[in-house]
Amino acid sequence: MNCMTMKVNAKSGLNVRMKPGLSGEFIKLLSNDTIVTVYESKDGWSRIGVGQWVSAKFLILDEKDHSYFQLASDRDINYNDILYEQLKRDEGSRLQCYQCSAGKPTIGIGHNLQANYLPVCTKEIWDANPKQKLDYEKKVVNCWEGLVITEEQQRKLFNYDIEQCEIKLQEEFSWYTSLPDNQRCSLCNMCFNLGLGGLKGFVKMLDFLKAGEYEKAADEALQSKWAKKDVGARAIRVTRQMRTKSEV
């Protein structure tokens, strides 16, 4: 489960309810600037504990929580580094091959070995994994099992995957490269997660991004099943960045 640290942004306080929605029984009032942990979000409400829900629109990212991304004020952090930290958290990071939720052999940060093989560091990875190389050449089922890579190789695989993701975005959306870095970053994050086909389903959000209406684009994304059911807190992080106008 992806959790995140948030802060109450409501001068008069924020009601905590037993279930999401105004019909939920009132439990207590949180004062402004209270720090909470968000465990999941749906339909505009965030769960901050067992049977404790608050309206998500009165929560903001805790500025002390830099585990997801840093905004443009930190010029020592570049665009690719921000994406790396985002997706390392959102997708997970494993240096040994595993099966993803879709049953695909995966390694590093969401790198699908079945679809993308080893596009970089091929020789050095095979040299360190001779059994897997032999099994692969013999087309053995589960030939990737036990394959391991280094942190450096993980980063190189990630860089390749992001490059391919951005190529697809540029080919599909002529306006993509003209977006400010924060909006590009958030869109690339979504594409990495959903695939280009899934991302194209966000028609209104994409139209708003193209028009430079980033607040509306973020609001539209939060109305989706992806935000309400599939990724929870990740959607809050991504859309917060989507709203941010400053450059990375």
Side-chain angles (χ1 to χ4, degrees), residues 113-138:
L113 288 163
Q114 184 172 302
N116 298 309
Y117 176 51
L118 293 172
V120 295
C121 307
T122 309
K123 184 179 185 304
E124 56 191 88
I125 292 175
W126 279 146
D127 286 348
N129 296 270
K131 178 183 181 300
Q132 287 75 18
K133 178 184 179 183
L134 184 61
D135 287 347
Y136 177 79
E137 291 172 345
K138 291 181 177 180

